[in-house]
Amino acid sequence: MGGAWEIIGWIGSGIIVLSMLQQRITRLRLVNLVGCLVSLAYSVAIGAWPLAGLNAALSAIQIYHLIKLWRTRDDARVYQTLTTSPGAEIVVYLLERHGSEIRSLFPAFREAAHSDHAFVVMNRDEVVGLVLASQEGDVAELDVDYVTPPYRDLTPGRFVFSRTSAWTELGVTRVRSAVGGPDYYENIGFTKVSGALGEEPRYERRLAEA
């Protein structure tokens, strides 16, 4: 029996180490929580009470932060969308810092100079997302809809599209996703529409009339 618990203890330690390799903050906390709970069971089984207390405290901390993340994911007091221009320094910086990943996610994107509108998504004082769009008539087509890896599970980009007044002031009544972009749009009010012949399906959100 002791050998089995020792294996469980090693598994718990391995899961905790694995959690440290996660880029997404929600996934990091979830995986770490699982590791702490496994290690807690092991600690109790072998009577290592100081270690059990440590893992119990770490589990409680992770649960607290996970609840806080999930409760605030739709909170406009936590996430803010700032309207800027495609040539702004912050946009240039984000494209330089995350350019290779952005271009892998949005292969049709070349440079911000081809976009008409830019939005930066903030989590309090931290930049967590960038949206660039080109406008033709009353339709805005997304060139980039990027979220930094730690916040990707929380889809903060939704705050850009919930600010319908920011779009309608620009004369936009429909926002359309880029070809090959992320597929989370149906969760934030977009509808799947057929693309051109041979293209992947796209997503579109109709706003109030400008």
Side-chain angles (χ1 to χ4, degrees):
M1 185 66 177
W5 276 112
E6 186 173 351
I7 292 172
I8 291 173
W10 280 110
I11 290 173
S13 297
I15 294 173
I16 291 173
V17 172
L18 179 63
S19 73
M20 297 295 103
L21 301 176
Q22 306 301 311
Q23 284 190 301
R24 303 188 183 190
I25 189 168
T26 304
R27 192 170 300 174
L28 183 154
R29 294 197 179 281
L30 278 171
V31 176
N32 190 271
L33 173 61
V34 172
C36 288
L37 291 174
V38 173
S39 295
L40 174 60
Y42 166 72
S43 304
V44 171
I46 67 171
W49 300 112
L51 186 59
L54 172 65
N55 281 293
L58 292 175
S59 298
I61 290 169
Q62 297 295 20
I63 290 170
Y64 166 80
H65 283 292
L66 282 167
I67 291 172
K68 185 177 179 181
L69 281 170
W70 286 326
R71 281 183 174 176
T72 60
R73 65 180 299 174
D74 298 316
D75 193 341
R77 294 169 299 179
V78 175
Y79 291 94
Q80 295 288 330
T81 301
L82 306 180
T83 303
T84 184
S85 67
E89 283 190 58
I90 184 63
V91 175
V92 173
Y93 172 78
L94 290 171
L95 290 175
E96 288 178 351
R97 183 171 178 82
H98 302 284
S100 58
E101 185 180 24
I102 288 173
R103 287 175 174 83
S104 70
L105 294 171
F106 303 93
F109 174 72
R110 290 294 173 263
E111 56 184 28
H114 296 159
S115 301
D116 299 308
H117 310 300
F119 303 89
V120 173
V121 186
M122 307 289 297
N123 179 313
R124 297 185 173 92
D125 297 329
E126 183 178 358
V127 177
V128 300
L130 171 67
V131 171
L132 296 174
S134 300
Q135 184 172 346
E136 185 173 344
D138 65 343
V139 178
E141 183 169 309
L142 299 176
D143 301 318
V144 169
D145 180 15
Y146 178 75
V147 175
T148 57
Y151 290 88
R152 206 159 285 166
D153 289 333
L154 302 173
T155 61
R158 73 179 68 194
F159 290 94
V160 176
F161 310 116
S162 63
R163 281 189 61 201
T164 55
S165 61
W167 294 98
T168 55
E169 286 173 6
L170 300 170
V172 174
T173 62
R174 288 179 293 159
V175 179
R176 186 179 298 154
S177 71
V179 175
D183 58 1
Y184 77 100
Y185 292 105
E186 286 184 296
N187 298 327
I188 58 172
F190 282 66
T191 302
K192 184 182 288 188
V193 295
S194 300
L197 185 63
E199 281 188 350
E200 299 177 31
R202 304 173 76 173
Y203 298 87
E204 187 173 280
R205 176 166 176 165
R206 184 173 290 278
L207 310 174
E209 293 294 330

